[in-house]
Amino acid sequence: MAELIIGLVVAVLAVVLVLRTVRIIPQARASNVERLGRYLRTLEPGLNVVIPFIDRPRQLIDLREQVISFEPRSVITEDNLVVDIDTVLYVQVTDPRAAAYEINNYIQAIEQLTVTTLRNVIGSLDLEKVLTSREHINSTLRGVLDEASGKWGIRVNRVELKAIDPPASIKESMEKQMRADREKRATILTAEGQRQSRILTAEGDRQAAILRAEGQAKAIDTVFDAIHRNDPDPKLLAYQYLQMLPELAKGPGNTFWVIPSEVTSALQNVTKAFNGYLPEIPPDNGHSPENPLK
């Protein structure tokens, strides 16, 4: 019976010894080992062996990139306006020993350093620059934080300003200004469009007038050349002249129309063409005895 108890005790001690000797570290984790209270080494992911009761592994340290989001902080700009800024940091532990022994709480330290640096950066900019210079603020914060946290075994990979909230009165003023700017741009674009439309219309009318004039000139030249090529005599011209006279009376309101004095000459030419000869009609100068009205 005593031998059985001793065997059980030895087995339990062996199990405890194995458990304290063999340490399995998960992937992307690390653990610092202290021997008699002093730092000895850092356990890598996988199977590790330590001396039980002498070596004491500390808690696991996450080596993955971590997202740290802080509560919005009130910051005063250069033009004495209070804005609330919400910040997000992406950090990663690169040295487990420094992260455990160089700083008590590296997350809290990074938060306080971020707030201090943010107030220094924002305090040198006015509100308009703060709203339009996010990239500059992000790069400045990242440079300062990465340099300060390097000795803690922390690397700041990225800094983002998640939100910049100015006071409500400033928001209202900004909205009015943006609305006025949009209306101004719309008015300018409308006026520019109307101006361009009038210019194009005038240019089209000018081109059309030029083309009509060129067409009429070409038509006149063609008719003139055709007339001279055919060498018409006065009889043909007189006949064509008489054919155009009825066109004068085609209008619906033409109840009275005057025959030009050239009709007399045209009639003489037509009569000569068909009869061979027609004595010329003397011009009426108002003194003829045959005219009883004069």
Side-chain angles (χ1 to χ4, degrees):
M1 187 64 181
E3 293 178 356
L4 180 59
I5 295 174
I6 293 173
L8 291 175
V9 172
V10 171
V12 171
L13 290 176
V15 171
V16 172
L17 184 62
V18 170
L19 292 176
R20 285 187 168 272
T21 301
V22 178
R23 294 300 175 102
I24 298 177
I25 306 299
Q27 183 66 33
R29 306 291 195 281
S31 178
N32 296 317
V33 176
E34 296 177 352
R35 176 171 292 178
L36 302 177
R38 291 177 60 88
Y39 170 78
L40 178 64
R41 63 191 177 95
T42 300
L43 301 181
E44 301 290 338
L47 183 64
N48 295 271
V49 178
V50 297
I51 301 176
F53 306 106
I54 297 177
D55 296 342
R56 185 172 69 89
R58 293 175 61 96
Q59 63 181 4
L60 294 176
I61 298 176
D62 198 339
L63 302 180
R64 295 173 297 178
E65 188 173 9
Q66 303 179 45
V67 180
I68 304 176
S69 179
F70 304 137
E71 293 294 328
R73 300 286 180 165
S74 297
V75 183
I76 301 177
T77 62
E78 187 181 21
D79 47 356
N80 297 323
L81 294 175
V82 179
V83 294
D84 294 331
I85 298 182
D86 193 359
T87 312
V88 178
L89 276 71
Y90 297 82
V91 301
Q92 186 175 13
V93 177
T94 57
D95 187 354
R97 185 197 66 80
Y101 297 105
E102 296 295 336
I103 190 71
N104 181 27
N105 188 336
Y106 64 85
I107 294 181
Q108 183 180 3
I110 291 176
E111 179 181 1
Q112 297 301 321
L113 184 60
T114 300
V115 173
T116 305
T117 307
L118 191 62
R119 286 175 178 170
N120 292 335
V121 175
I122 300 299
S124 61
L125 302 173
D126 56 24
L127 180 60
E128 184 177 357
K129 290 184 179 179
V130 170
L131 296 175
T132 58
S133 304
R134 288 197 176 195
E135 192 66 29
H136 169 69
I137 297 173
N138 293 339
S139 61
T140 303
L141 280 175
R142 181 184 177 280
V144 174
L145 293 175
D146 195 29
E147 181 181 358
S149 62
K151 62 180 181 179
W152 303 334
I154 308 297
R155 182 176 63 205
V156 179
N157 294 327
R158 192 171 180 179
V159 178
E160 291 291 341
L161 299 182
K162 188 165 61 174
I164 300 177
D165 297 326
S169 59
I170 301 300
K171 286 183 179 179
E172 185 178 357
S173 300
M174 293 171 61
E175 290 176 358
K176 290 181 179 179
Q177 181 179 359
M178 288 187 294
R179 191 181 305 113
D181 290 340
R182 287 195 296 267
E183 292 176 355
K184 176 183 176 181
R185 289 195 297 268
T187 303
I188 292 175
L189 291 176
T190 302
E192 183 65 25
Q194 294 176 352
R195 171 179 172 273
Q196 192 68 22
S197 176
R198 288 194 293 268
I199 291 175
L200 293 176
T201 302
E203 182 66 22
D205 294 340
R206 187 179 72 88
Q207 293 292 337
I210 292 174
L211 292 176
R212 284 196 299 269
E214 291 178 351
Q216 293 174 358
K218 289 181 179 179
I220 293 172
D221 291 340
T222 303
V223 173
F224 186 78
D225 292 340
I227 291 174
H228 281 274
R229 282 197 307 269
N230 295 323
D231 192 18
D233 56 2
K235 300 175 182 179
L236 177 60
L237 296 178
Y239 178 72
Q240 292 293 331
Y241 184 82
L242 290 176
Q243 282 186 327
M244 291 302 298
L245 290 178
E247 298 294 331
L248 299 175
K250 283 186 177 181
N254 291 341
T255 58
F256 174 78
W257 53 286
V258 178
I259 299 177
S261 60
E262 288 81 359
V263 174
T264 305
S265 300
L267 291 173
Q268 291 179 358
N269 292 328
V270 172
T271 305
K272 289 179 180 180
F274 289 98
N275 298 329
Y277 175 77
L278 178 67
E280 292 186 0
I281 300 173
D284 187 2
N285 53 8
H287 300 284
S288 174
E290 288 80 2
N291 189 353
L293 299 179
K294 297 296 183 177

